[in-house]
Amino acid sequence: MLTHAADYAFGRRGAVARAVAREPELVHAGGSQDGPITRQGGYTVAEPTTDPEPRPVQLGRYAVAFTVLAALAHLVTVVTRSMEAGRLPWGNMYEFVLTVTLVGTLVWLGVVVKWRETVHLGLFVTLVQVLLTGVAMVVLNTPVGPLVPALDSYWFVVHVGTAALSSALFLVGFAASVMYLIRSGYDEGKRGGLYPYGRFLANAETVERLSFRMHAFAFPVWTFAVAAGAIWAEAAWGRYWGWDPKETWAFISWIVYAAYLHARATPSVKRRVTAWIAVVGWLTMLMNLFGVNLFFDGLHSYGGV
């Protein structure tokens, strides 16, 4: 995350550098400049010179390389946890968060290989990853233990695995949506809050399309996860749906993301509106993950906290 932040601020090909390169250099009138100058108000605007630029600092490459190393270390953590437990590492909130953040990192690395212009999305993705893993380590850390009897089923792999994959995809889509909202707000002339930083971000249209791709991929996977959970509930508890808090919030998330895809396919709905729906969708996912397990009692209370 720190390397991605450094790439934004100091990399020659980073977002800040590109934004600065598009601007003429401003000095107070009377200052000396090597290139031709023109006057604008109380300032002298130096025209760009033809001097060759220094060799670019490839901080973006270092950021991706460090992310790969972090992903490998993360993978080792999840694998060794699974080996110690003698099962897949999804038995409690701590393990589920570790898996979702790992898959989210791998998804983003795959995106960078396909679309290199999205490398600066790494700052947003890794920031979310650091926050989630930090919460997992400080609040959710749970000793290794066997599965509770209700989870000891082949549906555990099907339901929880697809839920983890779709959550990771939604995470990357959320990060892209936030990046789009900041950048598009800046392009529209907004200057309050975080909008001034939009000038340093990637093209709004590019990250908006990436967000749509992530959500379009994640939604059917999430739909399958919810359906598989209902089938598992019938096998375990004798009913498909009982409006348990986890089931309720899973359904709420499904409705919000269905609304996002519907709005995204409707030409009259602005892209900023659809991006905000995606943000709301991710908030419902966080509520489903943290809020339900921490603040509600139900048949899905397997958080281990």
Side-chain angles (χ1 to χ4, degrees):
M1 183 191 71
L2 293 176
T3 315
H4 282 291
D7 178 44
Y8 264 96
F10 303 111
R12 272 288 178 180
R13 294 180 180 176
V16 174
R18 294 201 310 271
V20 172
R22 290 193 294 266
E23 298 177 350
E25 186 176 357
L26 298 179
V27 297
H28 284 92
S32 61
Q33 290 289 333
D34 294 332
I37 60 175
T38 57
R39 293 187 61 83
Q40 292 182 4
Y43 291 91
T44 298
V45 180
E47 300 294 337
T49 65
T50 58
D51 294 338
E53 292 185 355
R55 184 177 180 178
V57 179
Q58 302 294 337
L59 282 178
R61 293 184 179 180
Y62 292 120
V64 174
F66 279 125
T67 305
V68 170
L69 292 176
L72 291 175
H74 197 157
L75 177 63
V76 170
T77 300
V78 173
V79 170
T80 53
R81 174 87 178 192
S82 178
M83 294 173 62
E84 185 178 359
R87 54 172 173 76
L88 290 173
W90 306 331
N92 49 59
M93 289 179 64
Y94 173 69
E95 296 173 353
F96 187 81
V97 170
L98 288 184
T99 301
V100 169
T101 51
L102 171 63
V103 176
T105 301
L106 297 178
V107 168
W108 175 76
L109 289 173
V111 168
V112 170
V113 172
K114 179 67 175 178
W115 299 285
R116 293 188 178 182
E117 66 272 19
T118 63
V119 64
H120 301 301
L121 181 63
L123 176 59
F124 292 81
V125 174
T126 53
L127 176 60
V128 177
Q129 307 285 43
V130 167
L131 292 174
L132 288 178
T133 52
V135 170
M137 293 300 297
V138 175
V139 179
L140 308 177
N141 200 338
T142 306
V144 174
L147 284 176
V148 298
L151 295 181
D152 192 7
S153 167
Y154 60 87
W155 284 107
F156 172 71
V157 178
V158 176
H159 172 61
V160 183
T162 51
L165 174 59
S166 55
S167 297
L169 293 168
F170 283 139
L171 186 157
V172 178
F174 161 75
S177 295
V178 172
M179 192 173 183
Y180 167 76
L181 286 170
I182 297 174
R183 178 58 199 242
S184 63
Y186 174 80
D187 292 342
E188 293 174 2
K190 299 179 181 179
R191 295 297 182 265
L194 295 176
Y195 291 121
Y197 298 98
R199 64 196 289 263
F200 305 133
L201 302 183
N203 179 270
E205 184 178 352
T206 299
V207 291
E208 195 280 331
R209 286 200 303 264
L210 174 61
S211 175
F212 174 57
R213 289 173 183 266
M214 290 294 105
H215 287 94
F217 184 12
F219 182 73
V221 180
W222 179 250
T223 301
F224 176 80
V226 173
I231 298 173
W232 188 9
E234 196 279 332
W237 302 318
R239 51 67 168 174
Y240 289 99
W241 198 267
W243 297 106
D244 180 81
K246 178 74 73 171
E247 296 170 349
T248 301
W249 278 98
F251 181 65
I252 291 173
S253 297
W254 188 89
I255 290 294
V256 173
Y257 282 120
Y260 165 82
L261 293 177
H262 178 73
R264 181 59 173 73
T266 304
S268 60
V269 179
K270 295 182 179 179
R271 293 291 180 263
R272 286 184 60 83
V273 174
T274 60
W276 278 115
I277 296 175
V279 171
V280 173
W282 179 247
L283 293 178
T284 66
M285 293 293 288
L286 291 180
M287 180 63 189
N288 193 24
L289 175 60
F290 294 106
V292 169
N293 288 290
L294 295 176
F295 304 116
F296 296 95
D297 293 324
L299 295 174
H300 288 81
S301 299
Y302 307 128
V305 293

